[in-house]
Amino acid sequence: MLEGKIAVVTGASRGIGRAIAEKLASMGAFVVINYNGSKDRAEEVRQEIEAAGGAAAIYQCDVSDYEKCGTFIQDVIKEHGRIDILVNNAGVTRDGLLMKMTEEAFDQVINTNLKGAFNTMRFVSRQMLKQRSGRIVNMSSVVGVTGNAGQANYAASKAGIIGLTKSAARELAPKGITVNAIAPGFIETDMTGVLPEKVKEATAAQIPLGRFGKPEQIAAAAAFLSSEDAGYITGQVLHVDGGMVM
C-alpha cells in the first residue's frame, strides 16, 4: 500500500492518467492531479477520489514549459514536504505522414511527451535524491518500440522515453530511486475511441489477445511499479499490450 506517499501524476484528468490517479489514491497515496487544459475534468477526478475516501489536489501546468514545471514541482514540495512517486503520463498526438508533417506538429509532440517527462524528472530528482528514495514511472508506448506509419513524431517521443528512462535509472539507482517505463498497446481511451470501427476491428485482429486493453490495467502496472514490491526493479519497460510486442 502507499499510505503517506505523495504522488504526482501528469495528464491525470482523463484516460490512463485518470485511472492511475484513482488507483494510487485507492492505495493510500495523496495524489496531485496535473492537467493542462481541462480543469473541469481534473476537478471531477479529485471529487471521485475524495468520494471514495482518498485525498487529492489539482494543479495546472503545461509540462512542456521548463520554468513552469520547476514552479509546479517546487510548489508541491513546499505544500507536502516531499514527492515519493512521479508518473509521467501527459501526452498528445498530432498524427500525419512524414512527408506532410509540419515542424509544429513534430515539435509539439516531442515537447509535451518527451521534454515534458524530462522537465518533471529533472526537478523531482533533486528532491528524491535528498530523500534517498522515490519511484518514477514514465509512459512510453508500443509504437515507441515498433514504430507506426503516420506517427513518426509520437513514436520518436515514446522511443525517447525509453532511453530517458534507462539513463535516469542508471543515474538514480545508487540513491534508491527506481525509474521504469510502461509501454501500453491499444487501450480503450478517448485517443482510440475516435478510430473508425473497421480500424478498431483490424487492429484488434493484430493483437494476440484479440482485444484492446483498459486504462485500469495500465493503472495496475503503474501502481505496482510505484510500490515497495517493485523496489528491485529499475530501468525496465513493461509491455501491457495484449502480446503485440514479445
Side-chain angles (χ1 to χ4, degrees):
M1 300 300 277
L2 302 173
E3 276 89 357
K5 303 292 186 185
I6 306 300
V8 173
V9 183
T10 70
S13 63
R14 59 184 178 176
I16 290 170
R18 177 178 188 150
I20 292 170
E22 290 176 349
K23 179 67 173 177
L24 296 181
S26 76
M27 295 172 68
F30 181 94
V31 180
V32 176
I33 300 159
N34 159 258
Y35 70 97
N36 185 22
S38 45
K39 183 177 181 179
D40 289 347
R41 285 190 171 194
E43 184 61 35
E44 198 178 286
V45 179
R46 184 186 69 78
Q47 288 173 6
E48 282 205 9
I49 286 172
E50 291 181 350
I58 66 171
Y59 201 111
Q60 193 278 334
C61 178
D62 177 355
V63 294
S64 71
D65 188 311
Y66 181 83
E67 297 296 336
K68 286 179 181 173
C69 255
T71 302
F72 165 39
I73 297 302
Q74 286 308 311
D75 285 351
V76 173
I77 294 165
K78 279 180 198 166
E79 183 78 20
H80 302 286
R82 58 189 295 119
I83 294 175
D84 301 289
I85 299 162
L86 168 65
V87 181
N88 278 309
N89 170 77
V92 296
T93 55
R94 295 291 181 270
D95 296 350
L97 295 175
L98 184 63
M99 61 180 278
K100 293 183 178 179
M101 188 173 288
T102 64
E103 181 182 23
E104 182 188 16
F106 187 86
D107 287 350
Q108 188 174 3
V109 171
I110 295 293
N111 288 341
T112 299
N113 300 7
L114 180 56
K115 183 167 175 269
F118 161 75
N119 288 344
T120 56
M121 288 169 69
R122 190 260 185 231
F123 291 108
V124 162
S125 61
R126 183 183 294 272
Q127 178 62 30
M128 288 185 173
L129 286 166
K130 281 185 194 170
Q131 296 166 191
R132 299 183 71 86
S133 69
R135 297 278 185 270
I136 298 173
V137 180
N138 296 323
M139 211 54 61
S140 181
S141 168
V142 65
V143 305
V145 179
T146 64
N148 195 31
Q151 287 195 308
N153 49 3
Y154 188 75
S157 73
K158 295 303 187 177
I161 285 286
I162 293 173
L164 180 63
T165 295
K166 289 177 181 285
S167 298
R170 289 185 182 274
E171 279 188 37
L172 301 175
K175 298 295 186 183
I177 301 160
T178 67
V179 190
N180 292 288
I182 297 172
F186 285 87
I187 308 298
E188 294 173 2
T189 63
D190 292 350
M191 206 179 276
T192 57
V194 298
L195 295 172
E197 207 56 44
K198 282 187 178 178
V199 173
K200 288 184 190 176
E201 288 171 12
T203 303
Q206 302 299 313
I207 302 168
L209 283 178
R211 64 182 187 274
F212 283 23
K214 296 185 180 301
E216 292 76 19
Q217 292 168 321
I218 307 300
F224 168 65
L225 292 174
S226 299
S227 73
E228 292 303 315
D229 289 341
Y232 202 56
I233 300 172
T234 197
Q236 302 304 305
V237 182
L238 177 57
H239 294 266
V240 187
D241 62 7
M244 289 184 74
V245 176
M246 64 167 85

